[in-house]
Structure formats: C-alpha cells, structure tokens
C-alpha cells in the first residue's frame, strides 16, 4: 500500500496570505503549500510593504506594519485568480486599492460582479476598466448582503472587507467550502469576530483592529486529497491518504463507493483501494457539500475507464471539459458539449503526448498517464505547479513511473 501526506489547501492559503494585510502587526502561517500561487501572493505582499521571513518552505512570518502603497503590481496580480482578495483586504486596511484584473485558469467567463456588489454595499466605490480594478471608500459600514450566486471568492472577499468595517455585516447565501471556514478561523485567531462560516449565513461583527501576534496552520487541501483518492481508483491501487479531514471528502467518498471502490475512514486519514474495473456513475458538480468542480476532471479519468456509460454535468464553469479532448488522444471515448460530457468507458488508456489546459486538467492527465499503458508526455506543467507541491515526486513515491523532463 502506498502512502501520501496531504499539504495545506491552496485555495485557503491564497486567501489567508492577503488577509494578513488586515493585521497591523506580525503573524506566522504554517502548513502553506509550496506552490507558485503562494509564492506570487507573498511577492505581492512584499511589494505592498510587508516583510516576509520564510521559517522553512511551508511556514512564513509576515510583518504588515508598514504597508506603504495602495497600488498592487499589475503584472503579478494579473497572474492568478486569487489576487482579487487583495481588494477586500486593502479596502479594509487602507480604504483604497488598485489591482490588475485577476488572471487564473481559463474555465470560461469568470465575472466578479458579486464581489463588486458586496464592496459597494459596504460603502466602497469600485471602478473596473483598462485592465484594472480601483476601489476606494471613506469608510466601510456593515450591511446585509444577499449573494445572487453562491461564490467562494465573493464570500471570502466580503468577509475580508467587513472584518474592520463599522457595525455588523451579514452574508446570506454564502458559500460553505472548507476554505471559507479556514479563512474565518484565521481572522478570528487574529482578533476578528466572524460567526457562521460553513453555513449559508455568515455574520461579521466589525472590530477596530486585528492584533496578529499569533500562529495559524492552513487546513489540509480537500482537492489534493480527492486527487490522490481518485488516482488510487483509476490505477486500481491501494493508497493511504494521511493528514486530511475526511468529513470534507464525503461527496468524493460516496462516488468512489458507488463506482465499486473501497474507502476506509480513519478521521484524519483515508485508505482508498479499488481492485476491479470501476462501474459507471453520473456526476453533477455543485458548491460544497456537493461534488466539487475542482475534482471533476480527475473523476472524468475514472469514468473514462469505467464499465458502462457515465454522464458528467458541470454546473459551475462553462469550459471545464477541455481535458476530455486530451483524454480522447489517449483512447478515451468522451463527447463533451456545453456543460455536459458523456463518457463511454473503455478498458484501457494508452500513453500519448497531451497538454494540460488548466490546473485540475493537469492533475487529471497525470492520473491518466499513471493508469495508461505506455508513456504519456504532459506539457504545460506551469498550470500544475500553481496548485500541487512537488507533484511528480509524490506520485513517484506511491508507485507511478514519472519524471520531470524539463522545467
Ligand atoms: N460568479 C459570478 N459572479 C461573481 C463570482 C462568481 O457569476 O462575482 C460565478 C462564476 O462564474 C461561477 C460561480 O459563480 O460560475 C462560482 O464561482 P466562485 O466565485 O465560487 O469561484 P472562484 O472564487 O473564482 C474558487 C476557486 C476555484 C473553484 C471555484 C468553485 C480559488 C482561488 N478558486 O474560484 O478553484 O473552482 O471556487 O469551487 O479559490 C482551482 O483550484 O482549480 C479552481 C479553479
């Protein structure tokens, strides 16, 4: 049986790092994944005036006492999605911020109207244009905000902006992902007063100051854990996945059992094993606690190898089926149209040159390559490095024959 230890959550880390801007002091963050999105987040903080000291590759001490500019470097903020958290944090801390339009994976339209609506309801003026977002406020005052769409990013961003606002903010129809709870726990550890994170109503009682002077450890990455769980099923392997919160993985566990895999739950670790060909299953991606869109491509690899025909309905992103064309190059039989894809299961995949089109597509191709006969060459690794630390070594340690040929 192979063993793998799960790292801190990317999508929590990229929100907690900008959240340190709300502190007028020093804090330490541990269990940070060593990935390029985290590195860029730290670079942006430094450019704004934060002092960053690395204690080891997964722990950083951040001193945010001397934030001296409200212009975030456009070249860096445009590189990834989560740079939009600089807006909520800096509105809270300095009442003004200019950032580049957020970049990130090309998954179809990625509007930010719910973020803007939230900031405006707290009293900010927001101007979007010429590739930048400019937000300013005389002061921020708590309000009742109803989210028209369940949005992870907007929920966190409003929470950030409301932390130091006057009075109470209520977010209704909030997203409930584990990283939302983690950001709220981080802010509360630093002195905020946030209640209800993880439910669909979050209440933020504004406080005058976050004192910092504390250490916080990032929650384990549920998507990374799910990626390895699905790798075990696709390769018909046996894997012990350590350092995860198994409750966060209920929707994936349920689907693995449905396709014929075995999951043993030990609370903070899971054993996943699958000795026979998986059977078909239908999936619809949904906000937490539904099946996560960020595991849809990895599940797609399992279903491409399943006995029978499966259907995936992607309800979050417009174009998250680009990976299916790559899997078809490896012998899969997938027809994708709009937000639906039909997987006619095949008995085996065969190695081929394939292109990673986004982060989770890249993870799916690694799983497909490990399960396939022959050699698979995966290009565009920069997408994968944005979200998975040391991916090839960790797959090698659990039995995959994988090497990085070129940086
Ligand atoms: N949406 C709007 N307006 C908004 C915000 C979102 O219409 O103002 C829509 C989006 O177009 C989408 C849906 O609402 O259809 C959900 O988007 P959400 O805001 O929840 O996504 P996000 O915050 O941009 C985060 C993760 C994604 C993950 C989604 C959904 C980060 C940095 N990114 O994105 O992660 O897919 O939530 O769970 O947290 C990944 O890690 O590979 C990744 C893409």
């Amino acid at each position: 049986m192979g063993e793998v230890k799960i790292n801190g959550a990317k999508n929590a880390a990229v929100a907690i790092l900008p959240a340190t801007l709300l502190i007028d002091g020093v804090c330490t963050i541990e269990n940070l994944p060593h990935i390029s999105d985290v590195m860029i987040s730290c670079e942006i903080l430094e450019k704004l005036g934060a002092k960053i000291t690395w204690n080891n590759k997964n722990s950083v001490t951040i001193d945010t006492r001397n934030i001296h500019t409200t212009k975030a470097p456009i070249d860096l903020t445009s590189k990834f999605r989560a740079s939009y958290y600089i807006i909520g944090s800096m509105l809270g801390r300095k009442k003004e911020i200019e950032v580049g339009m957020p970049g990130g994976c090309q998954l179809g339209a990625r509007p930010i109207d719910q973020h803007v609506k939230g900031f405006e309801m707290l009293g900010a003026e927001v101007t979007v244009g010429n590739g930048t977002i400019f937000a300013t406020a005389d002061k921020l005052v708590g309000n009742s905000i109803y989210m028209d769409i369940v949005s992870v990013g907007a929920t966190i961003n409003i929470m950030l902006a409301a932390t130091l606002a006057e009075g109470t903010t209520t977010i209704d129809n909030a997203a409930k992902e584990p990283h939302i709870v983690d950001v709220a726990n981080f802010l509360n550890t630093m002195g905020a007063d946030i209640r209800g994170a993880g439910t669909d109503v979050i209440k933020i009682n504004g406080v005058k100051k976050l004192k910092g002077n504390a250490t916080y450890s990032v929650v384990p990455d549920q998507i990374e854990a799910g990626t390895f769980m699905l790798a075990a099923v696709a390769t018909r392997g046996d894997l012990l996945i350590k350092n995860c919160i198994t409750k966060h993985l209920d929707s994936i566990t349920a689907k693995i059992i449905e396709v014929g895999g075995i999951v043993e739950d030990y609370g903070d670790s899971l054993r996943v094993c699958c000795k026979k060909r998986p059977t078909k299953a239908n999936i619809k991606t949904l906000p937490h606690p539904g099946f996560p869109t960020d595991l849809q491509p990895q599940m797609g690899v399992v279903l491409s190898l399943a006995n029978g025909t499966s259907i995936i309905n992607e309800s979050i992103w417009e174009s998250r089926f680009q990976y299916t064309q790559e899997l078809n190059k490896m012998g899969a039989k997938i027809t994708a149209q709009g937000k639906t894809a039909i997987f006619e299961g095949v008995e085996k995949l065969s190695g081929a040159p394939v292109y990673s089109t986004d982060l989770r597509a890249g993870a799916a191709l690694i799983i497909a390559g490990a399960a396939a006969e022959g050699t698979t060459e995966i290009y565009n690794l920069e997408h994968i490095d944005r979200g998975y630390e040391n991916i090839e070594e960790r797959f090698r340690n659990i039995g995959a024959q994988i090497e990085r040929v070129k940086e």
Side-chain angles (χ1 to χ4, degrees):
M1 181 175 41
E3 270 189 30
V4 63
K5 183 172 166 282
I6 299 308
N7 291 326
K10 161 191 166 269
N11 288 342
V14 294
I16 287 173
L17 287 167
T20 63
L21 289 165
L22 288 164
I23 302 167
D24 192 0
V26 182
C27 68
T28 296
I29 303 166
E30 296 181 337
N31 203 31
L32 275 174
H34 195 76
I35 53 176
S36 63
D37 275 9
V38 160
M39 295 305 145
I40 302 172
S41 302
C42 288
E43 249 184 273
I44 295 173
L45 292 181
E46 271 180 326
K47 292 263 158 54
L48 292 170
K51 190 162 167 261
I52 306 262
T53 312
W54 286 93
N55 307 309
N56 59 52
K57 78 175 172 37
N58 302 108
S59 163
V60 73
T61 296
I62 305 178
D63 178 347
T64 42
R65 281 174 293 190
N66 184 30
I67 299 306
H68 54 63
T69 172
T70 57
K71 272 187 196 290
I74 288 177
D75 55 329
L76 293 180
T77 48
S78 305
K79 272 193 183 162
F80 70 130
R81 195 75 202 155
S83 58
Y84 50 38
Y85 294 135
I86 304 281
I87 310 174
S89 307
M90 283 293 280
L91 263 180
R93 174 76 186 270
K94 292 281 185 189
K95 310 285 174 291
E96 186 173 297
I97 181 67
E98 186 180 10
V99 297
M101 281 303 275
C105 291
Q106 299 301 321
L107 309 171
R110 297 187 78 170
I112 54 160
D113 56 298
Q114 297 301 304
H115 303 237
V116 173
K117 167 180 154 173
F119 298 144
E120 287 178 344
M121 287 188 77
L122 295 175
E125 235 178 77
V126 184
T127 317
V128 183
N130 292 331
T132 63
I133 304 167
F134 179 70
T136 182
D138 291 334
K139 62 176 182 172
L140 296 175
V141 182
N143 206 340
S144 291
I145 302 170
Y146 180 84
M147 311 295 299
D148 303 318
I149 284 176
V150 178
S151 160
V152 171
T155 302
I156 292 179
N157 234 340
I158 295 168
M159 225 160 65
L160 292 170
T163 291
L164 298 178
E166 272 177 27
T168 298
T169 299
T170 312
I171 308 174
D172 254 294
N173 200 21
K176 298 181 279 211
E177 270 66 5
H179 34 291
I180 299 208
V181 180
D182 207 43
V183 178
N185 286 344
F186 166 75
L187 290 167
N188 285 342
T189 304
M190 299 300 150
D193 182 358
I194 302 175
R195 298 160 196 217
T199 75
D200 43 26
V201 184
I202 302 178
K203 202 168 170 188
I204 305 121
N205 295 315
V207 295
K208 288 227 153 42
K209 187 173 155 56
L210 294 192
K211 57 184 174 359
N213 205 16
T215 297
Y216 190 80
S217 180
V218 177
V219 71
D221 196 321
Q222 138 231 26
I223 302 301
E224 190 179 88
T227 299
F228 282 106
M229 289 169 81
L230 293 166
V233 180
T235 57
R236 299 192 207 168
D238 189 348
L239 200 53
L240 183 66
I241 296 158
K242 293 163 88 172
N243 192 37
C244 54
I245 299 175
T246 60
K247 181 78 195 123
H248 294 166
L249 296 158
D250 282 351
S251 62
I252 302 106
T253 298
K255 279 295 159 188
I256 290 178
I257 292 169
E258 189 179 326
V259 300
I262 295 168
V263 182
E264 290 172 11
D265 183 338
Y266 304 115
D268 59 358
S269 66
L270 282 169
R271 179 180 172 198
V272 180
C273 108
C274 188
K275 289 296 170 204
K276 50 180 199 223
R277 186 174 176 197
T279 50
K280 68 185 168 86
N282 295 334
I283 307 276
K284 180 170 180 159
T285 63
L286 287 170
H288 192 78
F291 192 93
T293 171
D294 293 346
L295 287 172
Q296 186 261 100
Q298 300 88 317
M299 187 73 202
V301 178
V302 171
L303 298 182
S304 73
L305 287 163
N307 192 1
T309 300
S310 310
I311 300 176
I312 297 186
N313 185 254
E314 168 59 55
S315 79
I316 312 287
W317 299 120
E318 277 168 9
S319 34
R320 207 162 206 178
F321 283 128
Q322 298 170 68
Y323 75 92
T324 58
Q325 289 177 19
E326 304 304 304
L327 287 187
N328 285 347
K329 292 180 192 165
M330 299 176 72
K333 282 196 187 153
I334 311 166
T335 320
Q337 197 170 34
K339 288 186 163 184
T340 305
I342 299 170
F343 293 71
E344 251 180 87
V346 294
E347 287 208 20
K348 65 177 176 65
L349 296 174
S350 325
V354 286
Y355 290 82
S356 156
T357 47
D358 61 73
L359 167 59
R360 308 302 172 186
L365 293 176
I366 292 182
I367 297 174
E373 274 180 14
T375 303
T376 301
E377 283 170 30
I378 305 172
Y379 294 87
N380 297 351
L381 298 187
E382 67 279 7
H383 291 299
I384 306 175
D385 292 335
R386 286 193 29 233
Y388 292 91
E389 177 176 336
N390 224 350
I391 186 89
E392 68 275 17
E393 192 183 318
R394 293 162 78 213
F395 265 88
R396 203 159 44 234
N397 287 344
I398 54 172
Q401 286 176 291
I402 173 169
E403 62 178 317
R404 187 177 291 248
V405 184
K406 253 197 291 182
E407 281 301 321

